[in-house]
Amino acid sequence: MVDVGAVQGKILRVNLTDGQITKETVPGEVYTKYLGGRGAGAYYLNKEVAPGTDPLGEDNKIIFFNGPMAGTMAPGNGKINVTFKSPLTNTYYYSLCGGHFGAELKFAGFDGIIIEGNASKPVYLFIHNDEAELKDAQALWGKTIPETNKILKEELGGDHSLKIACIGPGGEKLNRMACITAELYREFGRGGGGAVMGAKNLKAIVVRGTQDVNVASPGKLANYVKELYKEFKAHPKVYARRWYGSVEMLEGINKLGFWSTKNFSEGYFAPGEEMVGPKMREKIVVGDGSCYSCPIACGKISQVNSAKYGKILIEGPEFETVGLLGPNCGISDWETILKATQILDHNGIDTISAGAVLSFAMEAFEKGIITEKDTDGIDLRFGNGDGLIAMLEKMVKREGLGDLLAEGVKLASEKLGAPELAMHSKGAAPATYDPRGCKGMALTYATSSKGAHHMYSPTMGVELAGDRFAEKGKANLVRDIQMQMAVVDSLGYCSTMRFVYTVDKQVDLFNLATGLNYSKQELLEVGERILNLERLFNVREGFSRKDDTLPKRFLEEAMKEGPSQGQTIDLQSMLDEYYQAMGWSEDGIPREETIKRLGLY
C-alpha cells in the first residue's frame, strides 16, 4: 500500500476478452510523479498501449482515474479523467467528467479502472464496494442514455444511489464523436471515448460504494476548507456562474467580435444578444444542478414547451453547445438548440463536435459542394433549424450523408473534397472562441495533445485583461497555463473554480489531504512532466510541427467586421517561441535534456 493519504491505492483491471477482473496495487510513482487523474492516465496509456494501435481495436485501452482529492471534503473535486487513443484524432486523448461518478468509484475502494480487450457480446461492469463482476448487457444494446439508466437501476434492485457511466447508440454505432455519459447529463465529452467503449462491447459501468476516504490531516483540511467556502461565497464571479452557468461568458465574446458564427466565417451574431446568460435564465432555465462537493452549482436545468417537439427538459446547454449548435449553424432559437442537444445527449454524442461537423456541412451546402441530392432533400442552409434537426437524426442513425458526418469533421471534409471548410486541429473542432480574436487560444488549439480544445490552456481571461491580439510573448502564457491545467486535471478539481482555487491553494489542499509536502514549483513541474509525456505519445505516432496547425481560414482570412476586424494569426512565429519555452526542438519534439530533467526515461 502506498504511503499517500486520500488515495485508495488500488485499481480494477478488467479484461473483456477473457472476462478476468483483477485488483491491482498502484505504483507509488503514479501519485508522486503524476498525481492521479489525467497524469495517471498519461502514465498508463504510454506504458500499455503500443505505437500504431487501432483506436477501435482490441489493443486500445480505456483508463478511468480519479485525482487524489476525489471524495474528500475539498470543494469542486468532482472531476474524474478518462484516457484513450482517440478514433477521432488518432492522438493521445483525455476527457474529464463532473457529476458524482468519480467520487462513488473512490467510495467503492478504487482510484481507477483499466478496461482492455473486447467482449464477444455486450456486457456491463458492476462494481459494489470492493467487488466487481461483468453482466450481460444484450438487452441494453440500442437503448438511449436515459433508458439505460432506468433499466440498470431497476435491474440492480431499484437503488437510486447507483452511479452509471454508459454509452448510447452513438457509441454502439462507432460514431467517432460518441461520448461516455455519467448519470444523465455529465459527459466524458470529446475524442470519441464512447466509440472506444462501443467497439469493446462495453455498454456501461455501474458503481456503488460506501467506504471512507482517509486524508492525512482531517482537522487542518476541514479548517482550510471552511475558509475557502467563505472566499467562494464572497467572490462576485460565483454569483454570475451560479445564476447563469457557463453561458455567462457569451455576452463578452460576442461584443468583442470572436463568437464562432456560421462555421467561423464571422465573429458577431446579432441575434445572440438574446442568447446570453440573463436572457437564457429568463427564458428557459427552470432549475440548477451541481456536481459532487460543488459550492457553485453552475449546471442549469432548461425547459421549452414546443409545438413542434413537445416538452423538452434537459440539463444544459453549456456555452460551447450553445455556440456550436447555435450561431455557428446560424441558429438563434432555443427550441432548436434544446432539441438538438437532447438528441445528442440521449444518444451519447458530443455536442461540440456534432455542431462543428454540421456547420461545415451547412457551408458546403451553401457553396454547392453538397446538394439536396446528397442530403436526401434536406435544406441545409445556415439558420434552418428543421434542416439541422433532420440531418442530426440521420447522423445518429448513420444514414445517407449522416453516416459520413458521423466520422467527424476532418474525415468527412476530406471525403467530400472540401478540407478548407473544416474547422479543426488534428481532427478536433475548436470551442466557440474564434482564435483570431484571442491569440493565445490559437496557440492553445494548435499545440494541444488532443487537438483543438479550449480547456487545454484557457488563456482568454488573462488575455482580455491585456492585449488579446498580441502574438509575441503569448508562448510563455500558454505554457504556464498548460502546466497549471495539467495539475488541476490530475488532482481532480473543477477548472472553472480557479478564480478562487489558485495554484497556491491547490498545493495546500493537496499536502493536507495526502501528507506529502510539495512546493508550488514542484507541483507545476509535475504538470510539465505530464505535458511532455502526452507529447511523447503523439511523437511516437508520427505527430510533429506539421500537425500543430490551424484551419487556413484562421491563418489567412481576416475577420470581416467588428472589434476583431482584420485579425489573422501568425502561427509559425508563435510556435517558434512556444517550442523554445517548452524545451522542444524546432520540429516540436521534446529535447533529450528536457526528457531527462523531467525524469521521463
Side-chain angles (χ1 to χ4, degrees):
M1 185 73 179
V2 294
D3 187 20
V4 178
V7 305
Q8 301 293 27
K10 65 178 186 290
I11 59 171
L12 271 179
R13 184 177 292 274
V14 181
N15 188 310
L16 295 172
T17 302
D18 60 17
Q20 190 173 5
I21 300 175
T22 54
K23 298 169 191 171
E24 194 173 290
T25 300
V26 179
E29 69 169 345
V30 172
Y31 303 110
T32 58
K33 288 182 68 175
Y34 302 97
L35 303 178
R38 175 177 160 187
Y43 169 88
Y44 279 108
L45 200 77
N46 271 274
K47 188 177 177 185
E48 300 192 4
V49 173
T53 294
D54 177 1
L56 296 177
E58 185 176 7
D59 294 331
N60 198 8
K61 300 193 181 189
I62 312 175
I63 301 155
F64 294 87
F65 218 103
N66 268 313
M69 305 308 296
T72 69
M73 66 185 83
N77 68 59
K79 291 284 188 177
I80 180 172
N81 182 77
V82 66
T83 308
F84 52 90
K85 184 176 179 183
S86 167
L88 183 68
T89 64
N90 222 30
T91 64
Y92 173 92
Y93 214 95
Y94 68 89
S95 185
L96 293 133
C97 177
H100 299 76
F101 181 78
E104 198 72 21
L105 179 63
K106 190 83 165 277
F107 298 148
F110 300 101
D111 290 326
I113 311 166
I114 296 179
I115 306 290
E116 55 193 24
N118 285 358
S120 59
K121 61 182 181 181
V123 296
Y124 72 89
L125 175 65
F126 179 42
I127 304 169
H128 188 274
N129 269 345
D130 214 37
E131 299 297 330
E133 62 180 314
L134 288 169
K135 299 173 77 77
D136 190 341
Q138 291 180 92
L140 294 167
W141 211 248
K143 302 298 183 186
T144 64
I145 302 296
E147 290 169 342
T148 301
N149 272 262
K150 182 175 184 291
I151 293 170
L152 280 172
K153 287 183 178 179
E154 289 173 354
E155 182 174 314
L156 294 170
D159 182 356
H160 289 278
S161 299
L162 294 169
K163 300 297 180 290
I164 299 169
C166 67
I167 61 171
E172 296 169 14
K173 294 178 183 293
L174 307 185
N175 185 314
R176 292 178 190 271
M177 301 174 288
C179 56
I180 303 168
T181 304
E183 299 156 72
L184 291 177
Y185 293 108
R186 303 287 171 175
E187 287 102 6
F188 301 92
R190 306 190 64 194
V196 180
M197 268 183 65
K200 292 183 177 303
N201 270 329
L202 180 61
K203 178 68 178 180
I205 301 172
V206 187
V207 183
R208 182 71 178 107
T210 57
Q211 299 184 48
D212 292 335
V213 173
N214 298 308
V215 299
S217 302
K220 291 180 180 177
L221 182 63
N223 288 333
Y224 199 97
V225 168
K226 187 177 178 182
E227 294 303 312
L228 262 183
Y229 269 94
K230 291 178 183 175
E231 284 192 55
F232 275 113
K233 191 173 181 180
H235 201 290
K237 182 81 172 174
V238 171
Y239 172 83
R241 188 51 65 95
R242 175 188 283 270
W243 202 239
Y244 306 130
S246 59
V247 174
E248 56 104 359
M249 294 187 287
L250 294 179
E251 186 171 7
I253 298 169
N254 201 27
K255 284 183 176 176
L256 291 172
F258 64 105
W259 194 8
S260 64
T261 301
K262 295 183 179 177
N263 199 29
F264 288 89
S265 63
E266 301 171 16
Y268 175 73
F269 190 60
E273 294 180 10
E274 296 297 315
M275 301 167 71
V276 298
K279 296 291 185 181
M280 175 176 163
R281 182 88 203 184
E282 174 190 333
K283 292 179 178 177
I284 64 169
V285 173
V286 296
D288 307 297
S290 72
C291 299
Y292 177 82
S293 191
C294 175
I296 295 180
C298 71
K300 298 296 141 235
I301 313 299
S302 302
Q303 178 179 319
V304 294
N305 295 306
S306 165
K308 196 182 302 179
Y309 305 120
K311 176 181 172 182
I312 305 171
L313 179 65
I314 62 171
E315 182 170 342
E318 296 289 331
F319 80 100
E320 309 96 331
T321 303
V322 173
L324 270 296
L325 291 172
N328 211 41
C329 292
I331 302 293
S332 59
D333 67 278
W334 288 114
E335 179 185 38
T336 299
I337 293 172
L338 259 63
K339 182 59 182 176
T341 305
Q342 183 188 55
I343 291 171
L344 291 164
D345 283 352
H346 284 191
N347 286 278
I349 298 172
D350 172 43
T351 53
I352 298 177
S353 303
V357 75
L358 286 165
S359 57
F360 153 76
M362 286 176 150
E363 184 170 2
F365 186 85
E366 291 207 346
K367 290 182 181 302
I369 296 169
I370 55 177
T371 66
E372 288 194 1
K373 184 178 178 183
D374 302 299
T375 64
D376 295 329
I378 297 172
D379 178 356
L380 209 51
R381 286 175 294 177
F382 284 122
N384 184 357
D386 291 342
L388 181 137
I389 296 297
M391 185 51 67
L392 197 54
E393 289 175 336
K394 292 178 78 66
M395 191 168 75
V396 167
K397 295 173 183 172
R398 300 208 67 152
E399 292 179 353
L401 181 64
D403 183 50
L404 178 60
L405 299 183
E407 295 289 289
V409 71
K410 180 177 184 293
L411 292 176
S413 66
E414 291 171 353
K415 190 74 179 290
L416 290 170
E420 73 281 2
L421 301 184
M423 302 300 114
H424 70 88
S425 179
K426 302 183 185 79
T432 195
Y433 317 125
D434 190 314
R436 287 170 290 187
C438 199
K439 301 296 180 66
M441 292 306 299
L443 196 55
T444 294
Y445 289 153
T447 60
S448 165
S449 61
K450 54 182 181 175
H453 199 293
H454 58 299
M455 294 309 292
Y456 194 73
S457 179
T459 59
M460 192 181 73
V462 177
E463 290 193 272
L464 294 187
D467 183 354
R468 63 189 174 102
F469 297 132
E471 292 171 343
K472 189 172 179 56
K474 288 289 172 67
N476 285 340
L477 172 67
V478 170
R479 177 204 58 190
D480 292 348
I481 296 181
Q482 285 179 350
M483 289 195 290
Q484 292 171 24
M485 290 303 296
V487 170
V488 168
D489 296 342
S490 299
L491 293 177
Y493 292 128
C494 175
S495 61
T496 62
M497 294 185 176
R498 288 174 297 125
F499 52 83
V500 169
Y501 255 140
T502 62
V503 178
D504 291 308
K505 290 186 174 69
Q506 293 171 37
V507 174
D508 291 341
L509 286 164
F510 173 72
N511 287 338
L512 290 171
T514 62
L516 299 174
N517 187 27
Y518 278 64
S519 66
K520 175 181 177 181
Q521 190 52 43
E522 287 171 329
L523 212 60
L524 290 174
E525 185 175 287
V526 172
E528 185 182 7
R529 181 179 299 120
I530 294 165
L531 291 174
N532 277 272
L533 191 56
E534 293 172 345
R535 184 77 178 187
L536 288 168
F537 183 96
N538 285 347
V539 168
R540 75 182 202 185
E541 301 291 330
F543 287 82
S544 64
R545 182 176 188 131
K546 69 182 187 312
D547 304 292
D548 290 342
T549 191
L550 294 170
K552 189 176 178 182
R553 172 162 293 165
F554 295 160
L555 302 177
E556 298 181 7
E557 294 181 22
M559 296 289 277
K560 295 175 183 172
E561 57 186 359
S564 298
Q565 185 177 16
Q567 294 295 320
T568 57
I569 298 162
D570 178 8
L571 182 62
Q572 294 308 314
S573 65
M574 295 177 80
L575 283 178
D576 288 339
E577 283 190 4
Y578 174 78
Y579 291 159
Q580 187 172 7
M582 291 297 291
W584 296 354
S585 73
E586 292 179 356
D587 204 28
I589 312 296
R591 295 186 185 279
E592 192 65 29
E593 56 266 31
T594 303
I595 293 170
K596 284 183 179 175
R597 175 173 60 80
L598 295 171
L600 285 170
Y601 296 116

